[in-house]
Amino acid sequence: MEYTIRVGGEAGQGLVSIGSVLSKMLSRSGFHVFAHQDYMSRIRGGHNFYQIRFANFPVTASREKIDVLLALDMETVDIHRQDLNTGGVIIYDAAALGSQLSGQEFFDVPFARITEEKSADRIMVSSVAVGVVLGLFDLDIGLFAKIMESTMEKKGEEVIAKNIAVAQAGMDFVEKNYADSNAHKVVRPMTNGQMLINGNQAIGLGALLSGCKFYTAYPMSPSTSIMEYLAHNAPKYGLIVEQAEDEIAAINMALGASYGGVRAMTATSGGGFALMTEGLSLAGITETPIVIAEVQRPGPATGLPTRTEQGDLFFVLHGGHGEFARVVLAPGTPEEAFYLTNKAFHLADKYQIPVIIQSDQYLADSEWTFPGFDTEDLHNEDFRLRHQALQEMSSYKRYASTDTGVSPMAIPGASRHLVAVDSDEHDEDGHIIEDAATRIAMVEKRFHKKMPLIRQEIAPPAYIGHQQAVAVLVGYGSTSGVLQEVCSHLAEKYRIGMLHFNEVWPFPLLEKFDYLALLKQAALTICIENNATGQFANLMRMETGFEFTVRINKYDGRPFLVDTLLGEINEYLQRL
Amino acid sequence: MNTSNDYKEQQKPAWCPGCGNFAILSTLKKALLDMNMEPHQFAIVSGIGQGAKLPHYLPCNFFNGLHGRSLPVATGLKLVNHDLAVVVVAGDGDCYGEGGNHLVHAMRRNVNLTLFVHNNEVYALTKGQASPTTMTGKLTKTQPFGNPSEPLNPLALAIALDCSFVARAFSGASGLPFLQEIMKEAINHKGFALVDILQNCVTYNKKGTFHWYKEHVYRLEEDYDPGNRVEAFRRSLEWGEKIPTGIFYRNDRQTCEQRLPPIQETPLVNQAVFSLEAGQEVNNFY
Ligand SMILES: Cc1ncc(C[n+]2csc(CCOP(=O)(O)OP(=O)(O)O)c2C)c(N)n1
């Protein structure tokens, strides 16, 4: 059993609140949920939708066809009508849309009238809409009541009660008026309520649970909800969240905080990352740990502010002048985003380097369900030299030479030892130098000594599928979910597998897992990327010499959907 | 007890003989000694420029970062450790040019930082181009027909923005005792403090010599009231024949640190590194 609900309308019509309440209710009922958002860069108007897929088996991507279209305006009907599955329903309010639509798929629900009848505020039509969906799938209104109680607490009991009453009225309306009350049967999975989380929340949660104490950023879609999440939790968990005057300030402030002795982070999208690159290079030469989340949107320049793309891979690999060690992690799911954020803080502190978590709008805004995250799996270790251990040192040099290239990192002000840091090339004491011998020693320390050690920390790509696959689908970052679904569909007919990279720099070693051998034995290797030039495929060639037989690139600013991708891959498979 | 010996030179300064930076450095050392400040009790954050090399020449914690970016670094450092005195040293190019945006926002944010601007009216390290405070008409290699722009008035800017402490001092021999007093006041001030220090440049600013400044600077009157913002603004506009020095303006605006709940008791850096309670946060996603 699986269903897809699409809620469409103008910005400002409440579709995000309808969508998020529905996802939450469905996940609390124990269903597996995958929800993604498609919205325009404007406050009011335009066309936007929120799509929720739920099933009694795990779902990790969006479908093209839908079962329920909740149309808040006429444009939604016009655009999405064609995507309706047979037996699907389009819910609309004829009075609000100004026309009665004929066709058996249409179901007219007088949202506004129902709201008025209950003498509720107009904005509560959203709750009527939720009630209608509850009615269609015969879900428990108690779930909705609970959500209202927790999210509307500040608005008072009356508002909560009204919302529940109008939702009930919506449910009743379906029961009385919907032709076939058994049309949308649901089969609940045998699980309890599931955790529901999107990519940006997972990064924020990961940061909180990794001891991040200082977060600073300049708002930029689609990264901003990380700051919203952390700012909201700042007082509770003793975190400072400072909105910087620009991204240059953000990265420099974070570096100042990190130098001061706490775990610090910033996030942005491509344009802001461009402004941060000098600071990134500063983190490199000063060996100051920092975590940067780069949540991509399509460029160049302002591009498509609220849409998705994987166009900045080479940018984060190479951004910043000069040569220095860095790590780039590219989570494929919110769960990976959570654990990789923890790994980012760990590696940043352990090796005193910048670590970049690269995500994109699709992952940032997609909600997934999980049985739960195990905080026991987090790796939290304090790498700074402080307290007695620092006070007892007979002498201290910030850039003392060591076998690993990693020097003890002391906290300024915590002892009589002085901590001196410089963006100029420097000696072990942190003082400016220009002589060749010291320069060579420092480059070796920062790069040649650290890099092989860092590379050992990088996990190999994940492989799912047949061990002697004829076809292997390859991707990195946010395409993981759609690749999984496509692969499991095709596995019924073909010897197929998928290879997904979520730690992309330093490029994974072959010693832990010889993914090249696996690719070389396959007749068809397809690299699937949300960009125009195939940056990951190019990186693979650069690092291993391997050339994929096919590249599938999508650069319309939208994510891959299961059905379209399946169709495209099927064509290649049939030609085998 | 620290002695002037504790502040002896670590590195040989890379400044031209006769540069005003020497006097600013020695005056800062004296001010720190007067205040009984031990080297580990403060940090100096600087950017890039001749003046910005200063932290290399006295024992201290320092972060010598990028050109123009000292204020954000200092802001991050101070917010995580407000027990540490944080002094920022910048050039006029560094702070009024490349980092101008940060200056405006540092004043607005009002973090308890002390900013000393070595204002030599020129980009010295890069060999003499016009800076934001260079006089109109000055000939340089990149303004061969004369600097077409008018100079910035940093004091008027700061007072207009209600900067918490605004002062000007002169780094010629006659001005040094006063500079020392102003430095101490600025470091002790709770809030963002800007001290614009008039400095010669023996190599690239032939007009702005110590001698020239000496002829033109004077001290604000004994009974001058730095609490009067309008008067302070008026006095900040005086420039040319007569250049006032002293504390133009001060207020007791709340600092940024005072507004941040997590650091009302203990500096962030001294709090538990990993908070166990944060683990509960996972439950909010069910
Ligand atoms: C991003 C960047 N741009 C330009 C420079 C080159 N640069 C270094 S110092 C400087 C100006 C120095 O003038 P000022 O800050 O007034 O300091 P002074 O040397 O006069 O003390 C410039 C332009 C740089 N280091 N970084």
Side-chain angles (χ1 to χ4, degrees), chain A residues 340-510:
Chain A
L340 287 178
T341 301
N342 179 246
K343 185 163 185 173
F345 278 100
H346 180 73
L347 294 180
D349 266 22
K350 185 169 178 187
Y351 295 101
Q352 304 171 17
I353 51 166
V355 178
I356 297 155
I357 303 163
Q358 188 173 54
S359 169
D360 53 35
Q361 182 270 332
Y362 178 55
L363 179 60
D365 292 334
S366 297
E367 292 171 300
W368 297 51
T369 42
F370 299 97
F373 293 167
D374 193 349
T375 53
E376 296 284 312
D377 292 341
L378 297 176
H379 203 120
N380 283 333
E381 191 179 335
D382 181 17
F383 290 99
R384 286 169 209 266
L385 189 57
R386 56 177 105 222
H387 306 311
Q388 219 176 333
L390 172 59
Q391 281 145 17
E392 283 170 359
M393 286 190 94
S394 55
S395 69
Y396 176 76
K397 289 176 190 297
R398 173 64 188 91
Y399 299 109
S401 161
T402 64
D403 291 343
T404 58
V406 179
S407 319
M409 182 170 47
I411 304 223
S415 73
R416 293 199 154 263
H417 297 301
L418 301 176
V419 187
V421 164
D422 201 331
S423 74
D424 287 272
E425 189 57 278
H426 43 256
D427 57 17
E428 289 186 288
D429 286 312
H431 286 301
I432 302 178
I433 60 90
E434 295 200 23
D435 70 284
T438 312
R439 163 68 180 180
I440 292 169
M442 283 297 157
V443 172
E444 281 173 355
K445 161 182 165 48
R446 284 191 300 265
F447 197 88
H448 294 307
K449 282 183 178 175
K450 283 185 186 178
M451 215 47 184
L453 300 173
I454 297 170
R455 207 164 174 193
Q456 290 293 341
E457 305 259 6
I458 297 299
Y463 182 73
I464 309 174
H466 203 284
Q467 284 309 317
Q468 264 94 41
V470 266
V472 180
L473 312 180
V474 181
Y476 84 102
S478 71
T479 52
S480 160
V482 73
L483 292 186
Q484 277 176 50
E485 295 232 1
V486 166
C487 206
S488 66
H489 272 94
L490 294 169
E492 293 162 13
K493 263 174 75 186
Y494 299 96
R495 271 166 42 206
I496 198 162
M498 69 164 268
L499 187 65
H500 181 264
F501 291 75
N502 66 11
E503 303 191 16
V504 296
W505 192 260
F507 211 67
L509 291 166
L510 291 169

Side-chain angles (χ1 to χ4, degrees), chain A residues 150-319:
Chain A
S150 61
T151 55
M152 298 270 166
E153 205 185 333
K154 285 201 189 113
K155 302 232 162 112
E157 273 176 35
E158 205 194 317
V159 176
I160 295 172
K162 276 261 160 72
N163 273 290
I164 298 170
V166 297
Q168 182 66 54
M171 261 183 109
D172 296 345
F173 186 88
V174 175
E175 204 165 312
K176 267 193 230 124
N177 302 293
Y178 194 62
D180 180 1
S181 59
N182 279 329
H184 297 96
K185 274 220 167 306
V186 296
V187 184
R188 277 196 193 83
M190 299 297 290
T191 61
N192 296 325
Q194 302 233 53
M195 177 180 187
L196 181 79
I197 190 165
N198 71 29
N200 271 1
Q201 288 167 335
I203 291 175
L205 181 67
L208 265 189
L209 270 62
S210 303
C212 175
K213 288 218 156 27
F214 191 88
Y215 182 91
T216 173
Y218 186 83
M220 185 169 189
S221 299
S223 69
T224 314
S225 57
I226 302 175
M227 178 154 58
E228 288 169 3
Y229 173 78
L230 288 173
H232 187 79
N233 283 293
K236 204 158 56 175
Y237 299 116
L239 163 83
I240 289 182
V241 175
E242 180 64 23
Q243 187 172 311
E245 56 270 25
D246 54 37
E247 290 84 350
I248 301 175
I251 191 165
N252 281 283
M253 248 187 233
L255 290 172
S258 180
Y259 165 71
V262 306
R263 290 190 164 188
M265 175 177 181
T266 181
T268 184
S269 191
F273 189 78
L275 293 180
M276 287 185 184
T277 52
E278 196 189 11
L280 181 68
S281 175
L282 176 65
I285 197 164
T286 58
E287 302 182 61
T288 308
I290 184 171
V291 174
I292 306 163
E294 199 256 344
V295 189
Q296 301 163 99
R297 66 194 220 185
T302 312
L304 294 167
T306 59
R307 308 208 173 266
T308 201
E309 195 160 273
Q310 297 182 301
D312 300 346
L313 176 60
F314 270 68
F315 186 32
V316 298
L317 290 177
H318 298 148

